[in-house]
């Protein structure tokens, strides 16, 4: 049984950001996870529940403008604000004596993966043991209307705090009807994105993709075969170019974007467990 707690920490420019902990009294290691665009840390209760009787504690946080964190929904002045917040959160968690006693795995999903990968490349001295990447935002599978792409640059200069709807609907995220019902009733979810985030996302691809070989820690990639949101081919290409001596990839044929909340999640959890257990066995 977890001992669950929550709180706030000061992110970049002193914004209040929410975090929560699922502490396992018998934990031998720690998983720090970063959610994707439009969702929040509570969206991972199925993941944490799947490992409640295992050997891991979980730390999750809400991006600025997401979940219970402060900020206009979907707004950041620039994409790198997320990376700065993430670095602050990592530094805080990694200072915890209980966390330092065992392996630390950084788990990320969708836009959270782009945030994580960029942050790790910029901070090569961060202490952790491996990464788990779910449906990473390393390219888009959906088509952004040309007028919206052109408007982003103009709006970023004239109305930087405006947020525009993305092109997603819940049916792209999961095939589980209970999950979809939960999403429809979740007032903390949103579909907004500021021009600064959108433009920064494009710039971040140009930064991250050519540097895949800089990621050298053990890595697990979990991808839908045909992700309706993020580009699976771009994710595979990044994976193949990574510098990790140990890396594993699982492709799920009928999965939607949010693997851990889809109908095949137990298969994904079993694959994840095998990867995680290897860190405990090596200690």
């Amino acid at each position: 049984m977890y001992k669950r707690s929550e709180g706030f920490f000061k992110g970049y420019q002193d914004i209040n950001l929410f975090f929560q902990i699922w502490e396992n009294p018998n934990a031998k290691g720690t998983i720090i996870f970063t959610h994707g665009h439009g969702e929040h840390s509570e969206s991972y209760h199925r993941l944490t529940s799947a490992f409640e009787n295992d050997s891991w504690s979980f730390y999750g946080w809400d991006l600025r403008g997401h979940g219970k964190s402060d900020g206009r929904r979907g707004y950041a002045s620039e994409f790198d604000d997320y990376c700065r917040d993430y670095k602050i959160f990592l530094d805080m968690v990694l200072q915890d004596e209980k966390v330092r006693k065992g392996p630390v795995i950084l788990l990320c999903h969708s836009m959270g993966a782009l945030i994580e990968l960029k942050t790790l490349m910029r901070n090569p001295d961060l202490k952790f043991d491996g990464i788990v990447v779910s449906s990473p935002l390393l390219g888009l599978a959906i088509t952004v209307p040309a007028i919206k792409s052109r408007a982003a640059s103009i709006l970023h200069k004239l109305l930087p705090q405006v947020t525009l709807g993305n092109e997603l609907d819940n049916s792209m995220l999961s095939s589980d009807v209970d999950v979809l019902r939960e999403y429809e009733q979740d007032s903390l979810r949103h579909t907004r994105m500021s021009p600064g985030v959108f433009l920064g996302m494009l710039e971040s691809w140009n930064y991250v993709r050519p540097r895949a070989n800089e990621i050298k820690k053990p890595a697990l990639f979990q991808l839908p075969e045909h992700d309706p949101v993020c580009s699976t081919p771009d994710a595979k290409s990044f994976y193949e170019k990574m510098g990790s001596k140990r890396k594993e990839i699982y492709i799920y044929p009928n999965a939607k974007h949010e693997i851990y909340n889809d109908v095949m999640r137990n298969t994904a959890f079993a694959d994840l467990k095998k990867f995680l257990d290897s860190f405990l066995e090596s200690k």
Side-chain angles (χ1 to χ4, degrees):
M1 180 70 71
Y2 289 123
K3 176 185 176 184
R4 188 183 163 283
S5 58
E6 61 184 49
F8 288 84
F9 70 99
K10 291 290 186 181
Y12 176 62
Q13 294 182 331
D14 286 334
I15 190 171
N16 286 317
L17 301 177
F18 176 80
F19 73 96
Q20 54 182 320
I21 305 169
W22 294 261
E23 183 180 349
N24 185 331
N26 301 312
K28 298 177 182 177
T30 302
I31 297 169
I32 305 171
F33 69 85
T34 301
H35 66 79
H37 180 262
E39 53 172 357
H40 52 92
S41 58
E42 192 59 33
S43 303
Y44 291 75
H45 65 84
R46 291 180 178 83
L47 170 64
T48 57
S49 295
F51 286 85
E52 188 163 7
N53 297 315
D54 219 295
S55 302
W56 298 87
S57 291
F58 287 80
Y59 286 69
W61 66 297
D62 291 354
L63 303 178
R64 61 175 60 211
H66 290 73
K68 297 180 182 177
S69 288
D70 284 356
R72 183 192 298 266
R73 299 298 85 177
Y75 172 76
S77 61
E78 58 183 26
F79 187 89
D80 283 351
D81 287 354
Y82 296 136
C83 298
R84 297 179 183 108
D85 293 336
Y86 180 50
K87 175 61 164 54
I88 292 170
F89 182 61
L90 282 180
D91 287 343
M92 180 186 77
V93 176
L94 294 174
Q95 287 175 5
D96 190 319
E97 199 170 307
K98 289 178 288 189
V99 172
R100 295 202 305 267
K101 287 181 179 179
V104 174
I105 306 300
L106 306 181
L107 185 150
C108 52
H109 172 70
S110 195
M111 190 174 79
L114 185 58
I115 293 167
E116 177 172 299
L117 293 169
K118 190 172 187 180
T119 303
L120 298 184
M121 290 171 181
R122 288 181 165 178
N123 299 275
D125 295 330
L126 279 168
K127 305 297 183 185
F128 64 98
D129 296 274
I131 63 172
V132 176
V133 178
S134 162
S135 308
L137 178 58
L138 293 168
L140 286 174
I142 58 175
T143 301
V144 178
I147 189 170
K148 188 175 287 187
S149 295
R150 291 194 297 269
S153 297
I154 299 171
L155 290 172
H156 186 49
K157 295 176 181 177
L158 301 180
L159 297 167
Q161 294 202 27
V162 73
T163 57
L164 302 174
N166 58 31
E167 309 306 313
L168 307 185
D169 64 69
N170 288 339
S171 66
M172 298 176 174
L173 307 180
S174 175
S175 297
D176 188 315
V177 292
D178 292 328
V179 169
L180 295 178
R181 190 178 301 113
E182 175 186 299
Y183 287 177
E184 290 167 3
Q185 298 171 353
D186 186 352
S187 61
L188 294 179
R189 280 188 168 251
H190 69 81
T191 59
R192 312 298 296 176
M193 180 179 283
S194 67
V197 171
F198 175 76
L199 296 172
M201 175 185 74
L202 304 182
E203 294 168 358
S204 296
W205 289 342
N206 293 332
Y207 179 89
V208 167
R209 286 169 178 165
R211 293 176 170 82
N213 66 313
E214 295 178 18
I215 301 296
K216 302 185 184 299
K217 295 285 188 178
L220 169 66
F221 270 48
Q222 295 183 285
L223 311 176
E225 185 174 14
H226 303 290
D227 191 333
V229 178
C230 295
S231 169
T232 296
D234 284 330
K236 286 181 177 178
S237 175
F238 184 91
Y239 171 85
E240 290 165 0
K241 296 173 184 175
M242 285 172 58
S244 306
K245 291 183 179 179
R246 179 197 166 196
K247 54 184 179 179
E248 302 174 24
I249 187 168
Y250 290 91
I251 309 293
Y252 304 99
N254 298 311
K256 295 293 185 73
H257 180 59
E258 294 191 7
I259 293 171
Y260 300 142
N261 285 327
D262 208 350
V263 291
M264 37 55 63
R265 58 183 171 270
N266 288 334
T267 300
F269 293 155
D271 295 334
L272 174 57
K273 178 175 168 55
K274 285 188 291 184
F275 180 75
L276 295 175
D277 283 351
S278 68
F279 291 90
L280 303 179
E281 294 163 1
S282 64
K283 287 292 181 179

